[in-house]
Amino acid sequence: MSRAFVKDADDNANSALPDIPLSEHPNYVTPRGLQQLRERLAATQTRRDAIKAAEEALGQQSELAAVERDLRWLTTRVSSAIEIDLAQQPRDRVAFGATVTVDTGEGEHRYRIVGEEEADAEHGLVSYVSPLARALIGARVGEEVVWHRPAGDMRVEVVAIDYGDDT
C-alpha cells in the first residue's frame, strides 16, 4: 500500500493551527479590559487542561489545537498589555479611556474609547484605532470633529467627557 494513503500518528501533533494574527498597534487596555483578557486566559487554560485530562483526548485533537492557538494569542496579548491609568488622563480633552457624549445632529450618543480587544460597538465601546475614536481623541467639549465613516462623513460635537467608573 502506498504511504499516501496511510495516516501517521504524528500527523495530528504536527498539524498545529496557524497563530491568530496580532494587531500592529500598541496593546493599550483599560483596567477592565486587562481584567477581561486575564479572565479569558484563565478560562482557556482551564479548558485546555480539561481536554488533556479527558479519556477520549484522541477525538479532541482539533479542539485542543484550537485551544492551544487561543492560549498562545491570549498569553501574548496579556503580556504585551499596556494598562492606561485613567486617573492620569487629561480631563479637558478626549483621550484613551474617556466616555464621550457626542451630538450627531440626530441625537446624543455615548462612546467609550477602549483597547482593541475590549471594543464592542453594540455597547458603545469603540477601539482607540477606530475612525470615530481617532476623530474624537484630542477634542474638547464644544468642539466639532469630522467622523469619517463608510456611509459618509458626519460632523459630531463633543458634549461631555468623563473618565469615571471603569466598568
Side-chain angles (χ1 to χ4, degrees), residues 44-133:
T44 305
Q45 288 169 330
T46 299
R47 180 68 188 137
R48 181 205 49 206
D49 294 346
I51 293 169
K52 284 186 169 186
E55 287 180 21
E56 57 274 345
L58 290 177
Q60 296 180 338
Q61 287 301 322
S62 62
E63 183 180 1
L64 181 60
V67 168
E68 287 182 339
R69 176 194 58 195
D70 292 348
L71 262 178
R72 288 190 303 274
W73 183 84
L74 285 163
T75 299
T76 300
R77 293 305 279 175
V78 168
S79 67
S80 69
I82 303 166
E83 185 176 2
I84 303 299
D85 181 357
L86 302 183
Q88 299 300 313
Q89 296 296 68
R91 297 301 188 232
D92 64 335
R93 66 182 185 275
V94 178
F96 185 90
T99 298
V100 186
T101 305
V102 298
D103 185 352
T104 64
E106 300 170 0
E108 289 188 358
H109 303 277
R110 290 173 46 102
Y111 300 99
R112 180 127 192 261
I113 300 173
V114 297
E116 292 177 280
E117 311 315 326
E118 192 178 355
D120 181 355
E122 191 173 305
H123 293 100
L125 302 171
V126 296
S127 167
Y128 78 99
V129 297
S130 70
L132 175 58

Side-chain angles (χ1 to χ4, degrees), residues 38 58 139 147:
R38 288 178 175 153
L58 290 177
W147 175 11

